[in-house]
Amino acid sequence: MANNMDDLTFKKAIDSNHQNLETPCYVFNSNTLINNYQNLKKNLDTPLIVSIKANPNAELLNRVSHITKDGYEVASLKELSLIAGPTADPKYLNNPSMDINLIKAAVGAKANIIIDHAHLVEILASLENRRRIKPLIIRLNSSVLKEIKADFPPVIDDHFGLDLSSLHETVARIHQYGFKVSGFHVFNGSNSFKEAAFATLDATFHLIPILEKILGYPVSFINLGGGFSSNWELLGFDFSRYRTQLHKIPDRIHVVHETGRGIFASAGKFLTRILYTKKINNHIIAICDGGLVQNFLLCKTENVIKKYQQPSIWKLPTNKSMRSDLPIKYVGTTCSQNDVISKCPAGSMLPETGDICIFENCGAYNSTYTVSNFLGLKNFTTYIW
Ligand SMILES: Cc1ncc(COP(=O)(O)O)c(C=O)c1O
């Protein structure tokens, strides 16, 4: 993915502002976000919904809102309140755990409700202002695609949406209460697009008549999800062939994609300062002012294979640029053995007190997917670049 933050300009900005730069911090670039959004949308040639959970920073979202007009997916009351209000942009509420208060707020905000299971239909049926409810969207579990298309690539085993038998039951409930369904939403998980996109389309061609038969009327909306990786542009995906296939979906159906990571990741950097360094067990340990609490995902605690990101090092002008003879471990502030945000081999830049580590690709999920209450440590500062 092209990193449109002009690295030289960014370095110069740190050169002149490092004394005032509060670390640890995230720096989000709205121009990069806009470029990513426009590029992805151009490649897909469909509307592109923004998944707010990837980066719910209000200032950033506001700065790009003139571009991201195809709509937003939200999963909580807090996220809904970021995009509710007078805007006419489509809103989609998607969370199996949504409760009656969230549903009421979403109906009031004219959001499209994504039905994950039949209990949500019961809640909708109990509302007084049922006339405001927009046609429902059905979330289908990826296993449905596998059921329809036996050679579908391995699907993630997640708990979202309906399988084929619960689809029948849920549609029966929807009919019983006189609600309408506009269509369906599928999502094969993060980073799945390259592997699953063509198979998802194939399965969709089969799925349309199946769902229309169950509903008894035509569908008018399909969200094909996405699962675009942060580096989707570099993966050599054949978007031209994909668009050709996509256009075979009847025109009466409004087809959209959705993204979080694919547009936000490369629009954010994480910066943390070196507080101290020490040498133990043939390693340089660089103790940073940020780590697991402010950027849990860097620690790779959830990955079986820990492939750490390598930071670039901004050198404090009074420090020397030297290579390290020993491997380096970058650690955070929590006293947890898991608080390791990077490991670099011998020969890498030697970090010293006052230097700043810059981690790229931290614009999606990193700032919110955290354990921020641990030890009551200070949180991060955010800058919009
Ligand atoms: C239900 C759902 N959640 C989240 C996302 C965003 O995932 P990612 O950030 O990996 O693009 C999508 C994208 O299609 C989605 O459909």
Side-chain angles (χ1 to χ4, degrees), residues 190-209:
S190 288
N191 302 308
S192 65
F193 184 75
K194 183 167 184 258
E195 256 56 67
F198 281 104
T200 302
L201 258 188
D202 275 2
T204 298
F205 291 124
H206 291 92
L207 202 48
I208 295 169

Side-chain angles (χ1 to χ4, degrees), residues 51 53 73 94 139 185 187 190 225-227 258-261 365:
S51 177
K53 66 168 84 69
E73 186 190 271
N94 188 6
R139 174 77 189 265
H185 179 172
F187 176 49
S190 288
E258 181 171 327
T259 182
R261 189 182 310 274
Y365 302 104

Side-chain angles (χ1 to χ4, degrees), residues 91-93 107 110-115 124 130-138 174 178-184 215 217-221:
K91 306 164 184 84
Y92 301 87
L93 173 65
V107 170
K110 285 248 164 222
N112 299 273
I113 314 277
I114 297 176
I115 298 296
L124 286 167
R130 286 174 52 167
R131 269 181 300 119
R132 280 185 76 84
I133 298 171
K134 300 187 90 173
L136 308 175
I137 297 167
I138 284 178
I174 288 169
F179 293 124
K180 276 269 173 205
V181 170
S182 61
F184 61 89
L215 290 171
Y217 52 83
V219 299
S220 56
F221 175 87

Side-chain angles (χ1 to χ4, degrees), residues 7-63:
D7 281 334
L8 201 63
T9 320
F10 186 69
K11 191 184 162 299
K12 279 191 185 150
I14 303 188
D15 287 346
S16 48
N17 291 304
H18 65 94
Q19 270 133 344
N20 303 322
L21 187 76
E22 278 189 43
T23 53
C25 64
Y26 284 89
V27 183
F28 299 128
N29 186 311
S30 55
N31 287 334
T32 307
L33 182 55
I34 288 172
N35 286 340
N36 291 346
Y37 183 88
Q38 288 177 325
N39 277 344
L40 184 54
K41 183 168 164 165
K42 193 165 119 225
N43 275 292
L44 294 167
D45 198 21
T46 72
L48 184 58
I49 293 171
V50 173
S51 177
I52 299 250
K53 66 168 84 69
N55 192 325
N57 182 285
E59 191 180 342
L60 181 66
L61 292 172
N62 276 323
R63 284 217 203 176

